[in-house]
Amino acid sequence: MNEPLAESEAPQARNSALGEDALWHILYSLGRDNAHPDKHKCYWGLVLAVRDRMLEKWASVQRQYYENDDKRLYYLSLEFLPGKFLRENLLSLGLESEAHTFLRKYSFSLDQIMDVECEPGLGNGGLGRLASCYMDSMATLGLPAFGYGIRYSYGLFRQEIRNGRQVEMPDNWLHEGNHWLIPRPHGLYPIRFYGTVHEWQDDDGTLRHDWRGGDIVMAMANDMYVPGYRNGHVNCIRLWEARPHKEFVLSSFNAGDYIGSVQEKIKDENISMVLYPSDDAPEGKTLRLKQQYFFVAATMRDLVRRFKKLNKPWDQLPEKNVVQLNETHPSIAIPELMRILLDEELICWEDSWFICQKLFAYTNHTILPEALETWPVELMERLLPRHMQIIYEINRRFLEDVRLHFRDEPDLPSRVSLISDGPEKVVRMSHLAIVGSFSINGVSALHTQILRDRVFHDFIRIFPDRFNNKTNGITPRRWLRQCNVSLSWLLSEHLGCDWVTDLDQLERIRELADDEEFRHDWEQCRLTNKKRLADHIEKRNGITVNPHSIFDVQAKRFHEYKRQLLNVLHIISLYNHLRKNPEVMMQPRTFIFGGKAAPSYWMAKDIIYLINCVARRINSDPHTRNVLKVIFLANYNISLSQLLVPATDVSEQISTAGYEASGTGNMKFALNGALTIGTRDGANIEIGERVGQDNIYLFGLCEQEVLDMRNRGYDPWELYKNDGELREVLDMINSDEFTPGNPTAFSGIFNSLLSGGDRFMVLADYRAYAETHQRIAHEFGDRELWIRKSILNTAGMGFFSSDRAVREYMDDIWGVKPDV
Ligand code: GL9
């Protein structure tokens, strides 16, 4: 976000054709002959031509922000998952048909050249994808918003399946360069680590602090542009990249230590080298804390620099800016801003703290106890000594207040303290984020309720006004308009095109559910999408699937709480049933899985292996393979998701109630007309309320029942003993049935479900799940009934647009206004 040009210096908007510009770029920017461009040249030329058009709009929008003195939103996230850019940007900028015209000349389709694009995997899953959906909505609503994160050289690992097991391969997504990302090698920020804190007294005798020495790493901006949908608005996500500190390297050169200095350079660049692949369970590694501080410190520099240009008093900082923290990962921003205000701007503690508490807002995305982030005090003291002092002081003042207001609760201070005393003292980042923010939100109604009742119960009483809910949303541009072209056309034919930015309009197709012709067209769209997926499966997995079978999909990260296991147990029991009753007529089903497991999460990797072993067995059994298929699609990512979502009949959202904060995959499938089989967890509950209870298959224990059952003493062995069908399945897993010659391959899984106590209540929900599937198979056979339900799902999903979610953030938390 270089400073914008004054109006008079602004370049003229382009008026040459997109294709001409693409050819121009092939020659002059890429240095390649443009006479007969192949698909790579066409792709790169188009990217540059589209980028030009975005940059013009971006520059004028930035200028507007300054002229209108807008309040700005900073969205800080360690992860973004934008998916491929070209199609999305063409769509938003209204350039699709121009691109088609250009490509037709060289006999390429847009689909073909999209193969050239590398998908940036700068996130693990839901949390990163949410950040990208929100950036899209912010641009579409015309908000003065800035995304901030890290430009990882290696994104989330590429998953290969070898002999049924997950193998992780590095994702070198930048190997061919990436023109969507513009590096800004000038004006880097120095970021300090380690070092020492010196005390000094100013003229008034006030004690001051100065953090010195240590290592310096430079932060370089790489900007990625986000156009709003056909509104001329373009925002930017600034991704920081670590670069070596020039002087440091030079001094080593002078000392004659050439190799040493090069090693030093490599070490510094390490910070932005790779995304940590663990979801919902942070890794307490020094490098991870360095990543967090690195991007936060550079971001706060940008914010302060822009604010200082306005020449306003410091107390106006929170009137002109707001910072949304996506999870606790960027919460070190709170002590960092305190440090800048106290030590650099020499503002007193009270004023500095007042500013901070009005500036920051924090979103919590998970209540898994192992996911609540903490950092050892000892590490923090070494790496960020001044920040640790500040955290101690924030805590001292906070606890003093708590003691004053809650005199008769002597245990409360230790429960809410930012620092926990255990065998190892740690900083609780969620407590830091709560104390330092004016707003704390959960991501679905149930999740926010759980935060209030359990996880942050003590804080609700201390800060009753800070807590609020913002149910997640997804962008209809990527998750309907782009991924489901046939259905989008059908919708636009009946509704006009406004639904793309006003998703509540989908309500109007409710009445069309009674229209036989519409239902027929609807079914045709779905079939087209299913055939496309079937082709992909044939190509990728070499397995033929029946596009008329039920496409039952569970695509998400592998985690025990998401219970892919429940799904496989049921598939095995279906298989047993078929083998025992060869004459029975069964609705053909295709079960499709996709998802990655964290490389160190052995149980999740074993579950992937189990699915692949079961798939191999079932798909090769001549007795069952016409009615039952099991597919594992490797390397699940945004592109694959865009193919899966519109082709899904049944969406599996079966987490143990109380564990999935919201889920957003659930929204994507339902928006595209899939029916959900799900637990009363996260946003499933709200989806049920919107699409109607008759159009969703909710089953199993609710959150309270899970707690009650556990408190009563839940014994999975009882279920094992009493349910013969389930026992048979479990015994098969605990034998060499799926791994000939190796009977212990899945004993870890078996034990976790039985002797291990079944932490995620898989067996407890099994019977209800199997019965619900039976109902689904039956109702799928009634085509009119099913298609009606499918239509009513899409019709009811308007609420889950990220435009709605972002509007709620804007009105209730951010106080920023559209500038279009
Ligand atoms: C998550 C929650 O687990 C999801 O339920 C939620 O929908 C998203 C977005 O709010 O956030 N929190 C989290 O750590 N992940 C989520 O998906 N995990 C990953 O991003 C891998």
Side-chain angles (χ1 to χ4, degrees):
M1 290 153 265
N2 268 3
E3 301 331 320
L5 301 165
E7 192 70 75
S8 57
E9 296 166 285
Q12 289 298 302
R14 289 185 172 258
N15 47 22
S16 54
L18 190 71
E20 276 171 45
D21 280 2
L23 290 176
W24 187 93
H25 275 298
I26 293 171
L27 183 59
Y28 295 103
S29 304
L30 304 172
R32 312 280 297 274
D33 183 3
N34 63 4
H36 303 286
D38 60 12
K39 81 174 187 185
H40 283 83
K41 288 181 191 173
C42 284
Y43 168 75
W44 289 112
L46 258 186
V47 169
L48 289 167
V50 171
R51 195 181 81 172
D52 288 347
R53 284 153 176 79
M54 273 201 305
L55 286 169
E56 279 163 4
K57 296 193 164 68
W58 166 79
S60 94
V61 164
Q62 299 304 305
R63 215 176 300 132
Q64 214 172 290
Y65 292 166
Y66 274 95
E67 280 161 13
N68 299 340
D69 194 19
D70 288 329
K71 179 172 182 178
R72 293 156 190 254
L73 164 73
Y74 287 73
Y75 195 87
L76 271 59
S77 180
L78 213 46
E79 305 190 5
F80 287 93
L81 269 180
K84 291 188 180 183
F85 294 103
L86 180 59
R87 193 187 288 277
E88 176 90 345
N89 291 344
L90 287 171
L91 193 70
S92 293
L93 299 165
L95 295 170
E96 262 186 321
S97 67
E98 266 194 88
H100 286 303
T101 312
F102 165 65
L103 291 173
R104 245 193 318 268
K105 246 202 233 159
Y106 302 99
S107 308
F108 296 120
S109 70
L110 192 53
D111 275 339
Q112 282 170 325
I113 71 158
M114 283 310 294
D115 286 348
V116 178
E117 184 160 327
C118 237
E119 174 180 321
L122 310 184
N124 274 287
L127 174 139
R129 181 55 228 176
L130 186 79
S132 284
C133 280
Y134 283 2
M135 290 309 299
D136 176 88
S137 284
M138 290 175 210
T140 296
L141 293 169
L143 293 192
F146 301 78
Y148 276 94
I150 294 181
R151 195 223 62 153
Y152 302 103
S153 303
Y154 290 84
L156 184 62
F157 64 87
R158 204 159 42 77
Q159 178 195 54
E160 285 183 10
I161 301 295
R162 291 197 201 145
N163 297 323
R165 293 188 184 276
Q166 166 175 303
V167 176
E168 298 94 23
M169 306 292 284
D171 165 48
N172 187 5
W173 72 290
L174 291 167
H175 70 293
E176 285 189 337
N178 190 311
H179 288 299
W180 294 117
L181 215 57
I182 303 195
R184 302 201 175 278
H186 305 292
L188 312 193
Y189 293 131
I191 309 295
R192 188 184 309 278
F193 294 99
Y194 306 104
T196 48
V197 179
H198 295 254
E199 292 183 350
W200 56 284
Q201 283 196 339
D202 67 13
D203 295 344
D204 310 333
T206 313
L207 189 63
R208 295 287 178 189
H209 298 83
D210 184 16
W211 179 29
R212 296 188 210 150
D215 293 350
I216 301 285
V217 178
M218 304 305 286
M220 182 176 99
N222 289 265
D223 290 351
M224 201 160 88
Y225 299 86
V226 185
Y229 186 77
R230 312 231 165 139
N231 63 352
H233 202 93
V234 177
N235 282 333
C236 158
I237 302 178
R238 178 157 280 186
L239 300 177
W240 298 106
E241 175 188 351
R243 317 262 23 220
H245 184 226
K246 205 167 60 184
E247 276 108 68
F248 185 86
V249 174
L250 266 184
S251 68
S252 303
F253 271 124
N254 294 342
D257 182 10
Y258 173 75
I259 296 293
S261 64
V262 173
Q263 273 170 348
E264 212 50 59
K265 171 183 152 76
I266 293 167
K267 203 176 78 193
D268 290 346
E269 288 179 350
N270 264 342
I271 291 183
S272 58
M273 192 60 76
V274 57
L275 165 77
Y276 275 90
S278 48
D279 65 317
D280 290 314
E283 269 183 81
K285 298 276 162 49
T286 308
L287 182 59
R288 170 77 172 189
L289 182 58
K290 278 189 173 179
Q291 289 185 335
Q292 296 185 351
Y293 178 66
F294 169 76
F295 107 89
V296 156
T299 304
M300 296 320 280
R301 283 263 157 251
D302 246 10
L303 185 151
V304 166
R305 173 182 60 81
R306 288 201 197 99
F307 178 71
K308 280 184 157 183
K309 286 212 312 201
L310 305 175
N311 279 319
K312 292 187 195 281
W314 281 102
D315 62 358
Q316 284 202 25
L317 185 89
E319 279 160 45
K320 288 290 149 203
N321 300 282
V322 55
V323 177
Q324 187 69 45
L325 305 172
N326 199 24
E327 249 308 320
T328 52
H329 315 145
S331 55
I332 194 76
I334 297 165
E336 170 64 2
L337 183 63
M338 282 299 282
R339 187 191 66 77
I340 294 172
L341 298 176
L342 292 165
D343 300 356
E344 296 182 8
E345 304 301 332
L346 306 181
I347 298 171
C348 71
W349 181 280
E350 287 73 17
D351 292 353
S352 302
W353 187 236
F354 182 77
I355 292 170
C356 278
Q357 279 189 312
K358 276 181 35 176
L359 183 72
F360 291 103
Y362 151 54
T363 306
N364 172 283
H365 293 270
T366 177
I367 58 157
L368 281 187
E370 63 266 38
L372 293 175
E373 217 182 3
T374 59
W375 288 106
V377 166
E378 174 273 326
L379 168 62
M380 206 53 116
E381 249 157 9
R382 252 186 318 122
L383 190 67
L384 303 168
R386 179 58 182 140
H387 298 76
M388 198 56 236
Q389 289 180 343
I390 291 171
I391 291 169
Y392 272 126
E393 182 60 11
I394 294 173
N395 198 36
R396 189 187 68 74
R397 289 172 182 245
F398 168 59
L399 294 184
E400 199 174 277
D401 240 34
V402 172
R403 280 190 204 99
L404 199 72
H405 287 94
F406 299 85
R407 282 175 196 283
D408 44 0
E409 292 186 64
D411 296 343
L412 186 59
S414 87
R415 290 206 303 270
V416 296
S417 172
L418 307 201
I419 292 149
S420 86
D421 270 324
E424 181 186 44
K425 274 213 275 182
V426 296
V427 182
R428 297 157 161 161
M429 300 308 271
S430 59
H431 293 201
L432 172 64
I434 292 170
V435 172
S437 300
F438 69 88
S439 162
I440 299 117
N441 76 281
V443 290
S444 74
L446 176 68
H447 172 230
T448 302
Q449 200 54 48
I450 294 173
L451 292 182
R452 288 175 187 279
D453 295 347
R454 305 212 313 259
V455 188
F456 298 142
H457 183 66
D458 290 322
F459 285 102
I460 296 282
R461 294 183 305 140
I462 302 173
F463 306 119
D465 303 331
R466 291 191 186 182
F467 287 81
N468 64 91
N469 176 244
K470 295 287 166 282
T471 297
N472 282 166
I474 55 170
T475 169
R477 270 74 67 188
R478 189 172 286 266
W479 296 113
L480 184 53
R481 174 63 187 81
Q482 197 199 134
C483 74
N484 199 341
V485 174
S486 57
L487 199 69
S488 292
W489 282 359
L490 183 63
L491 288 170
S492 297
E493 190 186 315
H494 290 270
L495 303 175
C497 299
D498 290 352
W499 62 267
V500 179
T501 49
D502 179 9
L503 206 60
D504 288 331
Q505 302 247 357
L506 294 181
E507 273 296 334
R508 289 163 45 215
I509 59 163
R510 213 169 263 284
E511 55 202 57
L512 291 169
D514 295 327
D515 178 334
E516 199 183 324
E517 193 185 324
F518 184 75
R519 280 202 308 271
H520 173 263
D521 293 346
W522 190 272
E523 189 161 19
Q524 287 311 306
C525 290
R526 300 195 53 73
L527 194 59
T528 313
N529 297 333
K530 289 174 77 176
K531 284 184 175 154
R532 191 166 55 132
L533 178 59
D535 287 347
H536 179 87
I537 291 173
E538 179 97 55
K539 254 191 250 133
R540 290 275 288 269
N541 294 39
I543 297 174
T544 310
V545 301
N546 171 5
H548 297 281
S549 64
I550 304 179
F551 279 15
D552 181 309
V553 177
Q554 187 168 19
K556 49 181 80 250
R557 280 302 279 258
F558 272 80
H559 209 296
E560 285 164 281
Y561 84 78
K562 296 181 187 279
R563 300 200 295 191
Q564 282 91 353
L565 256 183
L566 180 56
N567 194 342
V568 216
L569 295 186
H570 172 247
I571 294 171
I572 298 171
S573 85
L574 278 181
Y575 176 59
N576 291 343
H577 181 69
L578 270 175
R579 280 195 308 170
K580 285 182 207 157
N581 308 282
E583 74 295 343
V584 77
M585 288 282 286
M586 204 177 90
Q587 185 69 52
R589 289 164 159 111
T590 304
F591 289 95
I592 302 170
F593 291 87
K596 298 177 182 178
S600 58
Y601 191 172
W602 296 107
M603 184 60 75
K605 294 172 93 167
D606 279 353
I607 295 170
I608 291 179
Y609 184 49
L610 173 63
I611 291 170
N612 282 302
C613 292
V614 169
R616 185 172 50 198
R617 170 70 181 276
I618 293 181
N619 297 340
S620 61
D621 188 329
H623 303 298
T624 59
R625 67 177 169 208
N626 288 332
V627 278
L628 197 56
K629 286 269 162 69
V630 182
I631 306 293
F632 189 98
L633 286 171
N635 201 37
Y636 181 61
N637 60 9
I638 304 294
S639 309
L640 183 53
S641 182
Q642 288 181 219
L643 188 67
L644 271 174
V645 160
T648 297
D649 296 307
V650 176
S651 150
E652 299 272 351
Q653 307 299 337
I654 58 178
S655 52
T656 316
Y659 283 90
E660 189 70 270
S662 159
T664 44
N666 47 4
M667 301 171 187
K668 293 161 197 167
F669 289 106
L671 176 63
N672 282 272
L675 272 61
T676 305
I677 178 168
T679 43
R680 291 171 186 81
D681 198 16
N684 295 352
I685 299 175
E686 290 159 84
I687 293 178
E689 288 164 4
R690 302 276 164 177
V691 303
Q693 301 303 334
D694 291 343
N695 305 311
I696 187 168
Y697 300 93
L698 295 179
F699 73 94
L701 301 171
C702 69
E703 188 246 345
Q704 192 56 51
E705 289 166 337
V706 167
L707 294 180
D708 291 347
M709 194 175 231
R710 247 197 227 118
N711 289 337
R712 277 204 311 270
Y714 160 60
D715 182 10
W717 284 110
E718 281 297 310
L719 291 158
Y720 176 83
K721 278 184 220 138
N722 297 331
D723 190 327
E725 187 184 300
L726 178 59
R727 184 172 58 246
E728 187 185 1
V729 172
L730 290 165
D731 287 342
M732 283 164 81
I733 289 181
N734 203 29
S735 72
D736 74 346
E737 187 80 32
F738 301 109
T739 47
N742 180 7
T744 57
F746 302 118
S747 49
I749 292 180
F750 181 84
N751 290 335
S752 81
L753 292 176
L754 288 153
S755 358
D758 189 11
R759 183 174 166 212
F760 297 103
M761 321 295 274
V762 175
L763 305 193
D765 271 341
Y766 175 80
R767 190 42 53 198
Y769 179 64
E771 283 168 4
T772 309
H773 260 297
Q774 225 169 3
R775 236 176 80 213
I776 289 178
H778 177 70
E779 297 192 354
F780 186 83
D782 182 341
R783 294 316 291 154
E784 181 184 331
L785 178 78
W786 188 270
I787 295 299
R788 195 183 284 277
K789 287 185 181 207
S790 167
I791 295 169
L792 293 179
N793 264 267
T794 302
M797 288 300 291
F799 175 79
F800 299 96
S801 167
S802 48
D803 299 342
R804 182 273 312 157
V806 163
R807 244 187 238 113
E808 287 182 7
Y809 275 94
M810 178 176 111
D811 295 339
D812 303 345
I813 303 178
W814 299 335
V816 295
K817 288 194 197 63
D819 186 350
V820 271

Short mmCIF file of all heavy atoms in Angstrom, two decimals, residues 79 124-128 130 279-280 327 365-366 443 472 557 561-562 659-664, ligand 1:
data_model
loop_
_atom_site.label_atom_id
_atom_site.label_comp_id
_atom_site.label_asym_id
_atom_site.label_seq_id
_atom_site.Cartn_x
_atom_site.Cartn_y
_atom_site.Cartn_z
N GLU A 79 -3.15 -17.05 8.73
CA GLU A 79 -3.49 -17.90 7.59
C GLU A 79 -4.50 -17.23 6.66
O GLU A 79 -5.44 -16.57 7.14
CB GLU A 79 -4.10 -19.22 8.10
CG GLU A 79 -3.22 -19.97 9.08
CD GLU A 79 -3.69 -21.38 9.39
OE1 GLU A 79 -4.67 -21.82 8.78
OE2 GLU A 79 -3.05 -22.01 10.26
N ASN A 124 -4.44 -23.77 6.92
CA ASN A 124 -4.70 -25.17 7.21
C ASN A 124 -6.10 -25.61 6.84
O ASN A 124 -6.32 -26.77 6.55
CB ASN A 124 -4.50 -25.43 8.70
CG ASN A 124 -3.06 -25.74 9.03
OD1 ASN A 124 -2.59 -26.83 8.72
ND2 ASN A 124 -2.36 -24.79 9.61
N GLY A 125 -7.06 -24.71 6.93
CA GLY A 125 -8.44 -25.13 6.72
C GLY A 125 -9.41 -24.00 6.98
O GLY A 125 -9.22 -22.88 6.51
N GLY A 126 -10.41 -24.30 7.79
CA GLY A 126 -11.54 -23.39 8.01
C GLY A 126 -11.15 -21.97 8.39
O GLY A 126 -11.70 -21.00 7.87
N LEU A 127 -10.19 -21.87 9.30
CA LEU A 127 -9.84 -20.54 9.81
C LEU A 127 -9.22 -19.66 8.71
O LEU A 127 -9.57 -18.48 8.57
CB LEU A 127 -8.88 -20.72 10.99
CG LEU A 127 -8.24 -19.51 11.62
CD1 LEU A 127 -8.23 -19.69 13.13
CD2 LEU A 127 -6.82 -19.30 11.13
N GLY A 128 -8.35 -20.25 7.90
CA GLY A 128 -7.72 -19.49 6.82
C GLY A 128 -8.69 -19.19 5.69
O GLY A 128 -8.67 -18.11 5.11
N LEU A 130 -11.89 -18.85 6.05
CA LEU A 130 -12.81 -17.83 6.54
C LEU A 130 -12.21 -16.44 6.32
O LEU A 130 -12.89 -15.51 5.87
CB LEU A 130 -13.09 -18.03 8.03
CG LEU A 130 -14.15 -17.10 8.61
CD1 LEU A 130 -15.55 -17.60 8.23
CD2 LEU A 130 -14.04 -16.97 10.12
N ASP A 279 -3.48 -28.06 12.91
CA ASP A 279 -4.70 -27.30 13.14
C ASP A 279 -5.21 -27.61 14.53
O ASP A 279 -4.97 -28.68 15.05
CB ASP A 279 -5.77 -27.69 12.11
CG ASP A 279 -6.19 -29.13 12.29
OD1 ASP A 279 -5.31 -29.97 12.50
OD2 ASP A 279 -7.39 -29.40 12.25
N ASP A 280 -5.94 -26.74 15.11
CA ASP A 280 -6.62 -26.98 16.39
C ASP A 280 -5.70 -27.52 17.49
O ASP A 280 -6.17 -28.02 18.49
CB ASP A 280 -7.80 -27.96 16.21
CG ASP A 280 -8.95 -27.30 15.43
OD1 ASP A 280 -9.29 -26.16 15.75
OD2 ASP A 280 -9.47 -27.94 14.50
N GLU A 327 -8.20 -15.38 15.79
CA GLU A 327 -7.67 -16.28 16.81
C GLU A 327 -6.60 -15.55 17.64
O GLU A 327 -6.32 -14.37 17.41
CB GLU A 327 -7.09 -17.55 16.19
CG GLU A 327 -7.90 -18.81 16.49
CD GLU A 327 -8.20 -19.02 17.98
OE1 GLU A 327 -7.32 -18.79 18.83
OE2 GLU A 327 -9.33 -19.43 18.29
N HIS A 365 -11.90 -19.23 17.72
CA HIS A 365 -12.37 -20.21 16.72
C HIS A 365 -12.38 -21.64 17.23
O HIS A 365 -12.65 -22.56 16.45
CB HIS A 365 -11.48 -20.19 15.48
CG HIS A 365 -11.57 -18.93 14.69
ND1 HIS A 365 -12.47 -18.75 13.67
CD2 HIS A 365 -10.87 -17.78 14.77
CE1 HIS A 365 -12.31 -17.54 13.15
NE2 HIS A 365 -11.34 -16.93 13.80
N THR A 366 -12.03 -21.86 18.45
CA THR A 366 -11.99 -23.24 18.91
C THR A 366 -12.02 -23.31 20.43
O THR A 366 -11.49 -22.43 21.10
CB THR A 366 -10.72 -23.95 18.39
OG1 THR A 366 -10.69 -25.27 18.92
CG2 THR A 366 -9.45 -23.23 18.78
N VAL A 443 -18.01 -18.01 16.87
CA VAL A 443 -18.30 -18.08 15.45
C VAL A 443 -19.58 -18.84 15.09
O VAL A 443 -19.84 -19.09 13.92
CB VAL A 443 -17.09 -18.64 14.67
CG1 VAL A 443 -15.95 -17.62 14.66
CG2 VAL A 443 -16.61 -19.97 15.26
N ASN A 472 -20.33 -17.58 11.42
CA ASN A 472 -19.50 -17.55 10.21
C ASN A 472 -20.34 -17.46 8.94
O ASN A 472 -21.53 -17.75 8.94
CB ASN A 472 -18.65 -18.84 10.12
CG ASN A 472 -17.45 -18.81 11.04
OD1 ASN A 472 -16.82 -19.82 11.29
ND2 ASN A 472 -17.12 -17.64 11.56
N ARG A 557 -10.43 -31.37 7.38
CA ARG A 557 -9.24 -31.91 8.05
C ARG A 557 -9.59 -33.19 8.80
O ARG A 557 -10.71 -33.38 9.25
CB ARG A 557 -8.70 -30.87 9.05
CG ARG A 557 -7.87 -29.79 8.41
CD ARG A 557 -6.69 -30.34 7.66
NE ARG A 557 -5.58 -30.63 8.56
CZ ARG A 557 -4.53 -29.84 8.71
NH1 ARG A 557 -4.40 -28.74 8.02
NH2 ARG A 557 -3.57 -30.16 9.55
N TYR A 561 -12.24 -35.46 16.56
CA TYR A 561 -13.54 -34.89 16.93
C TYR A 561 -14.47 -34.76 15.72
O TYR A 561 -15.69 -34.72 15.86
CB TYR A 561 -13.37 -33.55 17.67
CG TYR A 561 -13.20 -32.31 16.80
CD1 TYR A 561 -14.29 -31.72 16.17
CD2 TYR A 561 -11.95 -31.71 16.64
CE1 TYR A 561 -14.13 -30.58 15.39
CE2 TYR A 561 -11.78 -30.59 15.88
CZ TYR A 561 -12.88 -30.03 15.25
OH TYR A 561 -12.73 -28.91 14.47
N LYS A 562 -13.91 -34.71 14.52
CA LYS A 562 -14.76 -34.61 13.32
C LYS A 562 -15.35 -35.97 12.94
O LYS A 562 -16.24 -36.05 12.10
CB LYS A 562 -13.96 -34.02 12.15
CG LYS A 562 -13.50 -32.58 12.43
CD LYS A 562 -12.73 -32.02 11.25
CE LYS A 562 -12.10 -30.65 11.52
NZ LYS A 562 -13.05 -29.54 11.38
N TYR A 659 -17.87 -29.66 19.90
CA TYR A 659 -16.46 -29.57 19.51
C TYR A 659 -16.19 -28.71 18.27
O TYR A 659 -15.14 -28.09 18.16
CB TYR A 659 -15.88 -30.96 19.28
CG TYR A 659 -15.56 -31.65 20.58
CD1 TYR A 659 -16.50 -32.44 21.23
CD2 TYR A 659 -14.32 -31.49 21.18
CE1 TYR A 659 -16.23 -33.07 22.44
CE2 TYR A 659 -14.02 -32.11 22.38
CZ TYR A 659 -14.98 -32.89 23.01
OH TYR A 659 -14.69 -33.49 24.21
N GLU A 660 -17.10 -28.70 17.30
CA GLU A 660 -16.84 -27.93 16.07
C GLU A 660 -17.36 -26.51 16.30
O GLU A 660 -18.57 -26.30 16.43
CB GLU A 660 -17.58 -28.57 14.89
CG GLU A 660 -17.20 -27.98 13.54
CD GLU A 660 -15.78 -28.33 13.11
OE1 GLU A 660 -14.86 -27.55 13.46
OE2 GLU A 660 -15.59 -29.38 12.47
N ALA A 661 -16.46 -25.54 16.35
CA ALA A 661 -16.88 -24.18 16.70
C ALA A 661 -18.01 -23.72 15.77
O ALA A 661 -19.03 -23.21 16.21
CB ALA A 661 -15.70 -23.24 16.63
N SER A 662 -17.81 -23.90 14.48
CA SER A 662 -18.87 -23.51 13.54
C SER A 662 -18.91 -24.50 12.38
O SER A 662 -19.92 -25.15 12.10
CB SER A 662 -18.60 -22.10 13.00
OG SER A 662 -19.29 -21.90 11.79
N GLY A 663 -17.77 -24.63 11.70
CA GLY A 663 -17.74 -25.32 10.42
C GLY A 663 -18.17 -24.31 9.37
O GLY A 663 -18.98 -23.41 9.64
N THR A 664 -17.58 -24.43 8.19
CA THR A 664 -18.01 -23.59 7.07
C THR A 664 -18.22 -24.46 5.84
O THR A 664 -18.97 -24.10 4.94
CB THR A 664 -16.96 -22.50 6.76
OG1 THR A 664 -15.66 -23.10 6.79
CG2 THR A 664 -17.02 -21.38 7.77
C1 GL9 B 1 -11.75 -23.48 13.10
C2 GL9 B 1 -12.92 -24.27 13.67
O1 GL9 B 1 -12.49 -25.54 14.05
C3 GL9 B 1 -14.10 -24.35 12.70
O2 GL9 B 1 -15.19 -24.96 13.34
C4 GL9 B 1 -14.48 -22.95 12.24
O3 GL9 B 1 -15.51 -23.01 11.28
C5 GL9 B 1 -13.26 -22.25 11.64
C6 GL9 B 1 -13.57 -20.82 11.25
O4 GL9 B 1 -14.15 -20.14 12.30
O5 GL9 B 1 -12.19 -22.22 12.59
N1 GL9 B 1 -10.73 -23.26 14.10
C7 GL9 B 1 -9.56 -23.83 13.74
O6 GL9 B 1 -8.50 -23.82 14.35
N2 GL9 B 1 -9.73 -24.46 12.56
C8 GL9 B 1 -10.99 -24.26 12.11
O7 GL9 B 1 -11.42 -24.69 11.06
N3 GL9 B 1 -8.80 -25.24 11.97
C9 GL9 B 1 -8.23 -24.99 10.78
O8 GL9 B 1 -8.32 -23.92 10.22
C10 GL9 B 1 -7.49 -26.13 10.19
#
